């Protein structure tokens, strides 16, 4: 789950479906991703390929959003109130 964390902390688009996907599955399929590394230098990452869950209801969206908020506010703690206000609108 390293790539979604790096995308969140780099303020990049993150598919919420990957946040609630079971990452313990052993399907032995891999994919390459290019992510922003240290100092915004591009990094090539080899990661397990997972079928991303679809967000089909508010409960799964909220589960993914809570994970997103947990990761995002570790780097940007002052954004927590705005994120909570946003979740209230949803």
């Amino acid at each position: 789950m390293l790539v979604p964390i790096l995308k969140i902390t780099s303020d990049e688009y993150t598919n919420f479906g990957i946040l609630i996907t079971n990452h313990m599955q052993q399907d032995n399929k891999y994919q390459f991703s290019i992510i922003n590394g240290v100092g915004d230098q591009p990094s090539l990452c080899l990661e397990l390929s997972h079928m991303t869950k679809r967000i089909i209801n508010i409960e799964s969206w909220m589960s993914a959003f809570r994970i997103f908020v947990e990761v995002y506010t570790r780097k940007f703690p002052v954004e927590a109130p705005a994120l909570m206000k946003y979740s209230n609108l949803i």
Side-chain angles (χ1 to χ4, degrees):
M1 192 158 149
L2 181 59
V3 171
I5 291 171
L6 291 174
K7 284 185 175 189
I8 292 169
T9 57
S10 297
D11 219 9
E12 294 180 22
Y13 169 77
T14 304
N15 182 344
F16 274 14
I18 201 161
L19 299 177
I20 58 173
T21 299
N22 181 0
H23 295 281
M24 303 309 271
Q25 295 171 339
Q26 297 295 324
D27 58 3
N28 295 326
K29 294 180 183 176
Y30 296 87
Q31 65 185 21
F32 286 103
S33 298
I34 298 175
I35 59 171
N36 285 341
V38 177
D40 288 332
Q41 293 294 321
S43 297
L44 188 61
C45 182
L46 179 66
E47 62 182 344
L48 278 171
S49 177
H50 299 286
M51 293 299 293
T52 303
K53 285 191 176 182
R54 290 187 63 210
I55 305 292
I56 58 172
N57 55 40
I58 190 65
E59 289 82 14
S60 51
W61 186 90
M62 288 301 295
S63 293
F65 187 73
R66 282 190 290 272
I67 294 167
F68 174 85
V69 168
E70 178 183 352
V71 173
Y72 192 80
T73 56
R74 287 184 185 192
K75 185 169 182 181
F76 307 105
V78 297
E79 297 296 328
L83 290 169
M84 294 302 96
K85 185 176 181 180
Y86 177 72
S87 70
N88 194 35
L89 290 173
I90 298 299

